[in-house]
Amino acid sequence: MSLPDTFNFAEHLFALNRGRAQKTAYVDDRGALGYGQLEDRARRLAAALLSDGVQRGDRVLLLMLDSSDWPVCFLGGLYAGVVPVAVNTLLTPDDYAYMLEHSGATAAMVSGALLPALQAAMAKGTNQVRKLFVSQPTAALPENARNLDSAIAAQQPLASPAGTSPEDHAFWLYSSGSTGKPKGTVHTHANPWWTAELYGKPVLGLTENDVCFSAAKMYFAYGLGNALTFPLSVGATVLLMAERPTPDATFKRWTGAHKPTVFFGAPTGFAGMLASPHLPAREAVALRMCSSAGEALPGEIAQRFKQHFGCEIVDGIGSTEMLHIFISNRPGDIRYGTTGRPVEGYEIELRGEDGKPVAVGEVGDLYIKGPSAAIMYWGNPEKTADTFREGWTKSGDKYSRDADGYYTYAGRSDDMLKVSGIYVSPFEVEATLMQHPSVLEAAVIGKQDADGLTKTKAFVVRKEGRSVSEDELKAFVKERLAPYKYPRFIEFVDELPKTATGKIQRFRLREREKV
């Protein structure tokens, strides 16, 4: 597979769908948007950006709740040759102030509900933002702002797309800042095309008859693929919602007028839904398949979900740096408790501390080589060199591989524990604890005992109305894992600290233990 010398990803998607202009592309909280309308609005916005002085190659902050305006703004930016910088809607003004300065954004596209946070950010530091485009404004707009709908209506569609190449900068995503400042991850026009061709179509098997719904928001790499790249590459319909993907909010969409056939979630979300008293009956939904990423999916959750809905959860691992999933289970070929096998088109290596490949069954650092890799962290050559190594991307995850080629998650590199001189995967202990019928969630860290030796400590969230003792859980794990792995300490908590994507923040638990 190869791309022409001139390739604009937005134009690629528009061209694919010009024969289905009347078909619904997006359904959000306000209504439906057809494929023809999507292209028309995006091309008009592209013209508005350029007429307001945004130049090709300029960065434009994209701070929006999930609605049909999000893909309009993202694709409009790509069509004009400007570079959308999609950012998390749950951050603080300080975070946005850093991203504005770091990216050098000259304009911003923002939801009305988030405009106060952006204005506070702009007042905090130096930035180059000259123009704001506001979606669904909730108050009077400042002088440098335009109503997005008015800006679009005032323009004719841009006649032709920017003549970008497959390797030109297309958009940024900010990766996690858990180990320092967030990193501006730069992706090209070719990168999303590769994720659709290597994963969205052959692994998920999406078609134009599917209705896709992603709990992960579009500013995440996972959500961007689920709710834009993959469905628009086949002409499917997408459901969007601005609110948080709580179980009740998710169920409302599952059982509504536009029942999704494919749902994209994360392990924490699936666990919460299964524990909800409002879990809908199998016959009330139209799901044919679910996808899980963000953190390894415990097999017990996947099995319970399939037992209830008759629907498989296809677990995989991706990253902001690789844009989407590169190791995955397949529909009809799922080995519960593993992340599956490499997606065709990606090479995987597990390396030891000496940098050499580890033997089958041993835990190693995960490296990936594939055509969807980002080209750099903007303005961070040291971290770029550490992560992107001669065509390989260092993920920061640890994995093992069995003799059949299936990969099993062993934790983040900085989460691994050494107990009695042997590495212990926190995830393995957590997954075992969650097999207990009274356990909703668990997180495991290392804790020093009275002798200064590292032992495992588990933080456990019990299911509502259920009880279990520390001794019961310790015995439960001892029966299922090697003796040195069972948690010597157990603390019951009401909830676990998590990121906006639902990943457990074990480092916060470690910090709490030091206090």
Side-chain angles (χ1 to χ4, degrees), residues 183-491:
K183 300 178 288 293
T185 311
V186 181
H187 280 286
T188 68
H189 279 267
N191 287 357
W193 183 84
W194 282 112
T195 64
E197 296 302 312
L198 297 179
Y199 177 76
K201 294 177 183 178
V203 176
L204 296 180
L206 295 181
T207 74
E208 64 179 343
N209 298 319
D210 278 313
V211 177
C212 299
F213 176 40
S214 176
K217 300 301 185 181
M218 297 179 80
Y219 54 76
F220 295 120
Y222 182 48
L224 180 63
N226 304 339
L228 190 148
T229 304
F230 302 158
L232 268 56
S233 291
V234 298
T237 295
V238 184
L239 300 186
L240 296 175
M241 69 175 183
E243 64 186 299
R244 290 178 55 247
T246 61
D248 284 348
T250 301
F251 299 154
K252 179 181 176 182
R253 275 73 182 183
W254 281 8
T255 59
H258 303 272
K259 290 184 171 66
T261 59
V262 181
F263 174 72
F264 302 87
T268 298
F270 286 114
M273 289 187 286
L274 287 171
S276 171
H278 304 134
L279 187 70
R282 178 186 296 199
E283 57 271 17
V285 305
L287 297 172
R288 70 169 183 84
M289 181 179 65
C290 292
S291 164
S292 179
E295 198 159 44
L297 177 71
E300 184 264 345
I301 290 177
Q303 289 171 318
R304 285 171 52 210
F305 191 91
K306 184 177 181 181
Q307 183 177 13
H308 183 86
F309 288 109
C311 171
E312 291 181 326
I313 302 178
V314 179
D315 186 28
I317 180 176
S319 69
T320 304
E321 290 76 11
M322 296 304 296
L323 192 55
H324 215 276
I325 288 172
F326 46 80
I327 300 176
S328 182
N329 283 278
R330 273 75 167 169
D333 177 20
I334 292 179
R335 191 167 293 191
Y336 291 122
T338 79
T339 309
R341 295 176 290 112
V343 172
E344 188 172 349
Y346 292 91
E347 296 179 56
I348 305 297
E349 280 191 5
L350 301 182
R351 302 178 185 176
E353 293 180 3
D354 59 2
K356 297 179 180 179
V358 301
V360 170
E362 291 185 6
V363 172
D365 291 310
L366 177 67
Y367 285 77
I368 316 100
K369 179 185 285 187
S372 64
I375 55 177
M376 70 172 82
Y377 295 127
W378 184 265
N380 195 337
E382 183 178 336
K383 190 61 181 174
T384 295
D386 183 56
T387 300
F388 303 103
R389 304 183 178 190
E390 299 178 343
W392 291 89
T393 301
K394 182 182 179 182
S395 72
D397 295 293
K398 286 189 178 288
Y399 263 83
S400 64
R401 177 177 58 86
D402 67 20
D404 296 326
Y406 288 81
Y407 286 73
T408 299
Y409 182 65
R412 291 290 294 173
S413 297
D414 53 2
D415 286 333
M416 290 293 288
L417 307 174
K418 233 177 188 180
V419 179
S420 301
I422 307 172
Y423 274 116
V424 174
S425 161
F427 178 77
E428 183 183 20
V429 182
E430 292 163 7
T432 303
L433 285 164
M434 289 174 64
Q435 293 173 22
H436 193 282
S438 295
V439 175
L440 176 63
E441 292 182 304
V444 169
I445 64 169
K447 174 183 171 68
Q448 288 193 341
D449 65 11
D451 297 320
L453 301 174
T454 298
K455 297 293 187 291
T456 49
K457 174 172 181 176
F459 294 83
V460 174
V461 180
R462 287 177 282 210
K463 291 179 182 175
E464 190 173 351
R466 304 294 291 266
S467 63
V468 63
S469 70
E470 291 184 37
D471 289 342
E472 285 179 84
L473 284 182
K474 289 178 180 179
F476 183 83
V477 175
K478 281 182 183 178
E479 291 173 1
R480 290 161 176 78
L481 295 179
Y484 66 90
K485 296 181 179 180
Y486 87 91
R488 304 311 202 272
F489 311 96
I490 293 178
E491 181 178 338

Side-chain angles (χ1 to χ4, degrees), residues 86 119 132 415:
Q119 289 179 292
L132 303 177
D415 286 333

